[in-house]
Amino acid sequence: RALGPAEKKAAVDYLLQYGYLQKSLEGQDDFRPEDIMEALRVFQEASELPVSGQLDDATRAHMKQPRCGLEDPFNQKTLK
Amino acid sequence: YLLLGRWRKKHLTFRILNLPSRLSSRTARAAVHQAFNYWSNVAPLTFREVQAGWADIRLSFHGRQSPYCSNKFDGPGRVLAHADIPELGSVHFDEDEFWTEGTYQGVNLRIIAAHELGHALGLGHSRYTQALMAPVYAGYRPYFELHPDDVAGIQALYGKKSPETKDEEKEETEVLTVPLVPTEPSPMPNPCSGELDAMMLGPHGKTYAFKGDYVWTVTNSGRGPLFRVSALWEGLPGNLDAAVYSPRTQWIHFFKGDKVWRYINFKMSPGFPKKLNRVEPNLDAALYWPLNQKVFLFKGSGYWQWDELARTDFSRYPKPIKELFTGVPDQLSAAMSWQDGRVYFFKGKEYWRLNWQLRVEKGYPQNIAHNWMHCPLQTPATISSVGDETASVTGTILSTPSAMDSIMD
């Protein structure tokens, strides 16, 4: 099923809120698709989900789980 | 694990500013206390609750709107709580969550509190999904315990919990290797005669008198039943030299010979008893002085001043008692600061009260038995008939559960 814009925005907001995506200093609101895919990959790996870089059902379900409000420290470097 | 910072001290205070509305306060408080215990069990950290004033770690519940927090919560689900890193100390929980304890329903307060305290102590999120410090709540676990990654993280910040690394115990040496041999109890003493071993204003404002193998409480209206010392404080011998409770640390220290025992309430602290090696053995008395939050130890005509939470330089001790406490006799039996804020010294059958200038007040010494133990004043004719061990007092011992409950309360 194709995701609606609201679902995509919710996912990006999540990735932003918890430190998987960093807003650029220039203030551009849009992220490149490859940046979002990379952030999703890191989130999936840190969450022990299948790493696809896609906003699949398992990833969206994990984003809805109750959690702590602090940012996550994960990126490709820390995961290594 | 990830480290975000650390406290520069290991003995922290905390204050619970409010509690969730849908969980009983007793359950909620117990959950928060247990959350602290998870960390203090594996690292040389202590946490002391304060009811008022400033605290290092402050826990509170707020909803979507809070005038005191810029990070608003989002209603039930999603974000459950957040915390500041050291040395800020704020720990906030979402009031809108269904906080629970002991059930799979709702969100377990104990586990979330332990997670947020991990942040408050300096831990970031762990990538181990089964770790307490994982970012996502993994649900209620009846037999919850810290993940090795949690333990490794907190020990990277504060070290391992072991007697050798406790700063406050440097003045004491290794744990005794020879177990104490249980002995037959001495005859039950008569609170109305003879000399006390120790007096202590203990936790919850209770006054304890120690003599031989027995202890009893003293109130304004009378005295409580006699208990074996070891019945209240398991592992503690009778015939103590001194006893002192510190409201600063919640520690009770008992001294006998060259050994010291530490209890919190009625539970002996791990690693005790220990051997005294920087203070002389066979102390006479001990007291906690709230004005400077120090413990004073007395022997003969001298005293030592001890800071429980800092390395104390004892090289200038003992100092003469008379230099600090004017008019107090040497060779004390007992001493304590009492709930009226005054310092009392006991010796033989008499006691002395000090004024705010630490001078013995006019009209002292007075009679311990009459004023403290609620005994009738003895005339010369009756003194000879009241020995140290009388049958009448022997008959008052109570070891029933109900009586035990009342003193343990």
Side-chain angles (χ1 to χ4, degrees), chain A residues 28-64:
Chain A
Q28 291 184 350
D29 290 337
D30 293 335
F31 291 97
R32 296 181 304 169
E34 55 265 37
D35 293 336
I36 296 174
M37 286 181 68
E38 176 63 17
L40 283 169
R41 273 195 286 268
V42 172
F43 175 74
Q44 289 162 341
E45 190 172 348
S47 307
E48 298 181 348
L49 297 168
V51 179
S52 65
Q54 301 298 313
L55 190 57
D56 51 37
D57 289 347
T59 303
R60 287 191 298 115
H62 201 78
M63 287 179 172
K64 290 177 182 173

Side-chain angles (χ1 to χ4, degrees), chain A residues 10 14 17-18 20 43 45-48 60 62-74 78-80, chain B residues 2 4 74 77-85 107 115-116 119 123-129 134-137:
Chain A
Y14 185 99
Q17 182 176 354
Y18 296 112
Y20 294 90
F43 175 74
E45 190 172 348
S47 307
E48 298 181 348
R60 287 191 298 115
H62 201 78
M63 287 179 172
K64 290 177 182 173
Q65 291 194 323
R67 60 160 292 152
C68 174
L70 264 68
E71 282 191 13
D72 299 335
F74 312 121
T78 60
L79 290 176
K80 279 177 185 170
Chain B
L2 180 82
L4 302 176
D74 52 5
R78 304 292 176 97
V79 179
L80 307 174
H82 54 234
D84 286 333
I85 62 171
V107 180
H115 175 103
E116 298 305 326
H119 288 316
L123 292 177
H125 283 149
S126 168
R127 68 159 298 184
Y128 290 93
T129 55
V136 172
Y137 174 52

Side-chain angles (χ1 to χ4, degrees), chain B residues 90-104:
Chain B
S90 292
V91 176
H92 294 166
F93 303 89
D94 188 348
E95 165 65 27
D96 292 334
E97 304 297 340
F98 180 31
W99 297 107
T100 57
E101 178 55 295
T103 172
Y104 289 91

Side-chain angles (χ1 to χ4, degrees), chain B residues 25-310:
Chain B
S25 68
R26 183 174 179 171
T27 304
R29 295 182 69 83
V32 171
H33 287 188
Q34 181 58 41
F36 278 102
N37 288 345
Y38 287 124
W39 298 115
S40 60
N41 284 344
V42 296
L45 296 165
T46 66
F47 304 103
R48 180 171 62 87
E49 183 174 9
V50 297
Q51 304 292 341
W54 179 257
D56 297 316
I57 297 174
R58 302 162 306 282
L59 305 101
S60 63
F61 292 75
H62 69 75
R64 292 172 186 268
Q65 304 291 332
S66 170
Y68 308 108
C69 180
S70 59
N71 293 321
K72 296 165 185 172
F73 285 119
D74 52 5
R78 304 292 176 97
V79 179
L80 307 174
H82 54 234
D84 286 333
I85 62 171
E87 295 173 308
L88 297 173
S90 292
V91 176
H92 294 166
F93 303 89
D94 188 348
E95 165 65 27
D96 292 334
E97 304 297 340
F98 180 31
W99 297 107
T100 57
E101 178 55 295
T103 172
Y104 289 91
Q105 293 181 324
V107 180
N108 186 268
L109 176 59
R110 171 171 40 89
I111 294 174
I112 297 301
H115 175 103
E116 298 305 326
L117 289 174
H119 288 316
L121 293 171
L123 292 177
H125 283 149
S126 168
R127 68 159 298 184
Y128 290 93
T129 55
Q130 291 304 305
L132 171 66
M133 294 313 296
V136 172
Y137 174 52
Y140 172 66
R141 282 175 274 174
Y143 305 104
F144 171 81
E145 56 185 21
L146 294 182
H147 187 277
D149 189 63
D150 302 318
V151 177
I154 200 72
Q155 291 182 344
L157 287 171
Y158 300 102
K160 294 181 179 178
K161 186 185 179 85
S162 67
E164 289 74 26
T165 59
K166 286 184 179 177
D167 293 339
E168 68 276 10
E169 291 168 5
K170 282 178 181 171
E171 59 267 38
E172 297 146 4
T173 58
E174 72 279 0
V175 181
L176 289 174
T177 53
V178 181
L180 293 166
V181 179
T183 55
E184 286 295 310
S186 58
M188 193 174 299
N190 180 354
C192 292
S193 68
E195 190 172 347
L196 292 168
D197 291 339
M199 287 280 280
M200 174 178 81
L201 179 63
H204 315 297
K206 289 195 171 185
T207 305
Y208 295 87
F210 298 84
K211 188 174 181 179
D213 286 321
Y214 291 86
V215 57
W216 64 93
T217 55
V218 180
T219 68
N220 287 332
S221 56
R223 61 176 186 269
L226 277 69
F227 291 93
R228 291 277 305 277
V229 169
S230 57
L232 292 190
W233 288 280
E234 191 177 353
L236 186 65
N239 296 298
L240 296 165
D241 292 336
V244 59
Y245 164 69
S246 164
R248 181 188 184 195
T249 59
Q250 313 292 316
W251 289 334
I252 303 172
H253 284 104
F254 296 104
F255 301 87
K256 180 178 180 177
D258 61 353
K259 301 178 189 70
V260 59
W261 287 255
R262 177 185 296 167
Y263 288 77
I264 296 177
N265 287 315
F266 297 99
K267 187 176 180 187
M268 194 192 303
S269 299
F272 283 85
K274 293 173 182 286
K275 193 172 180 183
L276 284 174
N277 71 340
R278 298 178 60 221
V279 175
E280 287 182 21
N282 305 315
L283 296 171
D284 291 334
L287 65 80
Y288 174 84
W289 198 22
L291 261 63
N292 67 353
Q293 298 189 315
K294 301 289 193 295
V295 171
F296 286 76
L297 307 171
F298 300 89
K299 182 182 178 182
S301 60
Y303 77 90
W304 292 259
Q305 182 179 258
W306 174 40
D307 187 319
E308 300 163 278
L309 301 179

